[in-house]
């Protein structure tokens, strides 16, 4: 079964201490560095094993032109001026960005598949199994895992490379994703693909 790794929202605005979006990692969270370290191990191990990596990022047009503000999450992003295309916040966190030749998909809603070319990229890779990781666990990660399972992908989650702004939301998302696929660690998941 061909495996691809989806690295979701490893961007400054949600992962860096100076980022303006606290849905992925709470301000002053003690576990921030552990998540960054696990994400780095995930990317490095996927590259060593030759697994296709797809870096998924969220970004909005300058001035947030055209952003549908039907939900608090989008109203808050617009109000804060966060995640504008070309900004520091929308850039990949240091050490967690793509290398030349690795796929990058940009989207503008919660679900990484919605109104993006993610489905086409995965079809081009021939992926049948997806290892997902990113921030926030209870937002883009869970929503995209649900969508992937509905599409027929075997879903796995590297839980230690994920985070949510509140620990109970992270745990609830892990429990929900466990109904759809395997919830494990970076080390355990990549040992299966060695």
């Amino acid at each position: 079964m061909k495996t691809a790794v989806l690295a979701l929202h490893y961007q400054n605005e949600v992962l860096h201490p100076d980022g303006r979006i606290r849905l992925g990692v709470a301000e002053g969270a003690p576990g921030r560095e552990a998540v960054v370290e696990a994400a780095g191990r995930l990317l490095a191990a996927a590259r060593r094993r030759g697994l296709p990596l797809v870096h998924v990022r969220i970004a909005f047009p300058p001035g947030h032109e055209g952003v549908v503000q039907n939900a608090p999450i989008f109203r808050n992003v617009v109000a804060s001026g966060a995640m504008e295309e070309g900004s520091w916040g929308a850039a990949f966190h240091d050490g967690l960005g793509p290398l030349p030749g690795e796929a990058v998909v940009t989207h503008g809603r919660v679900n990484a598949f919605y109104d993006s070319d993610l489905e086409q990229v995965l079809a081009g890779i021939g992926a049948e199994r997806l290892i997902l990781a990113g921030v926030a666990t209870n937002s883009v990660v869970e929503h995209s895992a649900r969508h992937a399972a509905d599409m027929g992908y075997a879903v796995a989650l590297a839980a230690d490379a994920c985070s949510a702004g509140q620990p109970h939301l992270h745990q609830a998302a892990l429990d929900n994703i466990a109904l759809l696929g395997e919830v494990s660690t970076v080390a355990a998941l990549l040992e299966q693909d060695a």
Side-chain angles (χ1 to χ4, degrees):
M1 187 175 287
K2 178 120 184 204
T3 299
V5 175
L6 270 72
L8 300 158
H9 294 191
Y10 288 138
Q11 296 168 262
N12 286 327
E13 208 74 270
V14 294
L15 201 52
H16 192 280
D18 295 331
R20 291 179 277 187
I21 298 176
R22 302 287 180 217
L23 296 176
V25 183
E27 189 168 358
R32 179 185 311 276
E33 290 309 313
V35 172
V36 170
E37 189 271 332
R41 285 189 295 110
L42 174 71
L43 300 181
R47 290 171 178 139
R48 279 194 309 273
R49 289 166 173 75
L51 297 177
L53 269 166
V54 181
H55 301 266
V56 178
R57 61 191 290 274
I58 189 165
F60 303 101
H64 295 88
E65 184 175 335
V67 174
V68 178
Q69 298 180 51
N70 62 310
I73 191 170
F74 297 111
R75 290 191 290 273
N76 292 337
V77 165
V78 171
S80 70
M83 288 300 198
E84 284 191 51
E85 189 65 70
S87 70
W88 169 86
F92 288 103
H93 188 69
D94 193 30
L96 300 181
L99 295 181
E102 293 176 349
V104 177
V105 171
T106 301
H107 71 111
R109 299 307 283 177
V110 178
N111 178 357
F113 287 91
Y114 182 81
D115 200 25
S116 79
D117 62 351
L118 181 55
E119 186 174 347
Q120 293 81 7
V121 169
L122 293 173
I125 292 169
E128 301 166 283
R129 176 176 179 251
L130 303 178
I131 296 174
L132 289 86
V135 290
T137 320
N138 63 313
S139 186
V140 68
V141 176
E142 182 176 356
H143 204 128
S144 301
R146 288 176 180 275
H147 191 99
D150 283 346
M151 292 176 68
Y153 289 103
V155 172
L157 182 72
D160 51 339
C162 297
S163 178
Q166 299 177 42
H168 74 281
L169 296 177
H170 173 72
Q171 187 58 53
L174 296 181
D175 293 344
N176 289 333
I177 295 168
L179 300 173
L180 307 171
E182 179 181 4
V183 175
S184 193
T185 64
V186 170
L189 288 169
L190 290 170
E191 286 169 7
Q192 293 175 9
D193 292 306

